[in-house]
Amino acid sequence: ECISNQHPVKMLGEWLNEREHPRDNSDGIIMLKMVTKHPALRVSADGKLMSDESRATLELLPLRCFFDQSAVRYIQRFFSANTNGSDAEENDGDELDDELINVFFQTFKVFPCKLKVDYMPEKMDVDAFRDGNYVEILNLCPLEEMVLTLQEVENNDLSGWGSVFRELAGKWIEDICATQAHKFFTKAAPIQVFSGLGEGMADLVII
């Protein structure tokens, strides 16, 4: 992305570390296996088009992430605008029903994955924080080399890629908040020096 800086910044890539997590040279960063079954009848008895049924597994290599608040907000606005535009188009007529048939996922399984994240905030939205958007607390100070583990997730009976990734993101965020929230404090730049003295000292500083 070139939003946060004049020079291109690679937001997402492979986290190379042969000592911590050696890899097979034949592995890709994203490995998706998907088995799809076509319905015997494309049109149901009530005249509706039937979607394909799929089973999928997704495996990710350890990822290295460099995020900037301005770039993240731009991406959020971009996809939000596309979603609103799609909703408006769906109201124009029934012709789109023949074109936009979401795949039905019987199962969608994602294996565990590790991330190392650097995050550079610009400004905390105090009003949003007061309204209950506690994610804004991440914009208080930069995060450096924070390691997160994304747990294994299996979703069932979902229609469309959007539903799959929304459920996936929701479960990952819920797990991170429940089990790894302390890392957002120990890897914050102002107190990272103290966290290097040991977990006990870091806990004392936070308290």
Side-chain angles (χ1 to χ4, degrees):
E1 55 92 3
C2 300
I3 301 167
S4 60
N5 199 309
Q6 294 181 351
H7 306 287
V9 176
K10 189 175 183 179
M11 296 181 66
L12 190 67
E14 183 184 354
W15 176 12
L16 296 172
N17 191 317
E18 290 296 332
R19 182 174 60 85
E20 291 190 20
H21 35 75
R23 59 163 291 186
D24 189 327
N25 290 332
S26 62
D27 290 342
I29 295 181
I30 300 174
M31 291 170 282
L32 176 66
K33 297 180 180 179
M34 187 169 165
V35 178
T36 299
K37 180 176 68 176
H38 299 296
L41 297 175
R42 275 295 181 183
V43 181
S44 64
D46 56 358
K48 293 183 179 180
L49 291 176
M50 304 296 291
S51 64
D52 296 336
E53 296 184 359
S54 299
R55 294 174 176 268
T57 59
L58 177 65
E59 189 172 358
L60 303 171
L61 290 180
L63 299 175
R64 188 70 171 96
C65 310
F66 296 91
F67 296 141
D68 186 276
Q69 183 182 0
S70 58
V72 171
R73 287 186 170 173
Y74 175 84
I75 293 171
Q76 288 176 332
R77 289 194 298 267
F78 176 82
F79 284 105
S80 176
N82 281 353
T83 301
N84 294 335
S86 298
D87 292 341
E89 290 176 0
E90 288 178 0
N91 296 327
D92 291 341
D94 297 331
E95 295 181 358
L96 289 178
D97 292 341
D98 296 338
E99 302 174 5
L100 304 177
I101 305 174
N102 289 322
V103 177
F104 178 77
F105 290 97
Q106 293 179 332
T107 61
F108 196 103
K109 183 177 181 179
V110 184
F111 291 97
C113 174
K114 290 197 301 183
L115 307 178
K116 180 182 275 192
V117 180
D118 283 23
Y119 178 67
M120 181 60 65
E122 291 184 346
K123 182 180 179 182
M124 178 179 176
D125 190 338
V126 179
D127 293 333
F129 181 74
R130 289 173 179 170
D131 291 338
N133 185 9
Y134 298 115
V135 177
E136 286 294 330
I137 199 171
L138 299 179
N139 296 322
L140 280 174
C141 52
L143 300 173
E144 298 179 356
E145 297 187 348
M146 178 179 62
V147 177
L148 296 173
T149 300
L150 303 180
Q151 299 299 329
E152 179 178 308
V153 173
E154 183 171 343
N155 292 319
N156 299 297
D157 300 331
L158 294 176
S159 181
W161 290 95
S163 299
V164 168
F165 290 120
R166 278 195 297 271
E167 287 290 322
L168 180 61
K171 290 183 178 180
W172 273 341
I173 291 173
E174 182 180 350
D175 177 74
I176 289 171
C177 292
T179 63
Q180 304 178 71
H182 63 282
K183 296 180 180 179
F184 290 90
F185 297 96
T186 58
K187 287 301 180 180
I191 62 174
Q192 190 172 6
V193 176
F194 299 101
S195 68
L197 300 178
E199 289 187 51
M201 182 62 73
D203 292 341
L204 179 61
V205 171
I206 294 172
I207 292 173

